[in-house]
Amino acid sequence: MRAAIISAFIILISCGDPATDSAVEDQVPAPTSLAVDLTGSGFPLTVELGDAATLGVDSAQVKWNEEAGQLEVRAGDRFGILITEEPGDIPRLKADLQRDQLRTSTIIEEKNDRLIWRSAFPDEEIVFVHFYRVVEADGRMFVVQDDDHGRYAEADVSRMAGAVRTKQPV
């Protein structure tokens, strides 16, 4: 009898207490996603940069480039976008890519509001991945694109292409 009680006690201990187990799981911090509100810069947009650990930084840099007339949003080496207020023209961009005599471009993703493509020089194995997206917010049109001074992996470009959201009224 005593052996049965000890065995039952050992089984209960080894199974664990579900309430305690879930409490431990709840204590594990969720990945921190960086977000930037651009309303202070005059843009009715927010940018969801993604997981801080993936980006390798804990904050983003937002800078107005007066010469280019664009807002720059950067976070480490894996996130860099440029935002300009203009109507955007995806068909024209596609035509420009087809006419480019220096580089060959292959479209990876095409939607009504965005284009993602690979670009390479014929004699080199270096491939660049770019995106161009048109966003409408508060009756205004914006073009969001990767910073062409950076070199990004396809996963980084996909994340950047989907990062900009319209600012919801409070």
Side-chain angles (χ1 to χ4, degrees), residues 61-133:
Q61 298 172 337
V62 178
K63 177 184 164 193
W64 175 252
N65 183 329
E66 186 68 38
E67 290 178 18
Q70 58 193 191
L71 193 64
E72 302 170 356
V73 181
R74 291 190 175 85
D77 295 332
R78 299 184 65 188
F79 193 98
I81 61 173
L82 307 174
I83 305 172
T84 54
E85 187 168 0
E86 61 180 293
D89 192 346
I90 292 175
R92 180 177 172 205
L93 173 61
K94 284 178 58 178
D96 289 347
L97 292 174
Q98 291 172 348
R99 281 193 300 270
D100 190 337
Q101 295 181 358
L102 295 175
R103 294 171 290 206
T104 56
S105 296
T106 305
I107 296 174
I108 300 170
E109 179 183 331
E110 181 177 0
K111 293 184 178 178
N112 290 339
D113 69 338
R114 77 187 68 187
L115 193 66
I116 300 176
W117 71 96
R118 282 187 200 98
S119 179
F121 291 98
D123 298 340
E124 298 180 26
E125 293 181 22
I126 299 173
V127 175
F128 295 90
V129 183
H130 301 284
F131 82 93
Y132 181 96
R133 180 175 169 208

Side-chain angles (χ1 to χ4, degrees), residues 35-57:
V36 178
D37 183 350
L38 300 179
T39 53
S41 299
F43 290 72
L45 305 169
T46 58
V47 181
E48 296 287 333
L49 291 92
D51 179 35
T54 300
L55 296 171
V57 296

Side-chain angles (χ1 to χ4, degrees), residues 20-46:
T20 305
D21 292 345
S22 65
V24 170
E25 288 175 14
D26 291 342
Q27 293 174 3
V28 175
T32 306
S33 180
L34 295 177
V36 178
D37 183 350
L38 300 179
T39 53
S41 299
F43 290 72
L45 305 169
T46 58

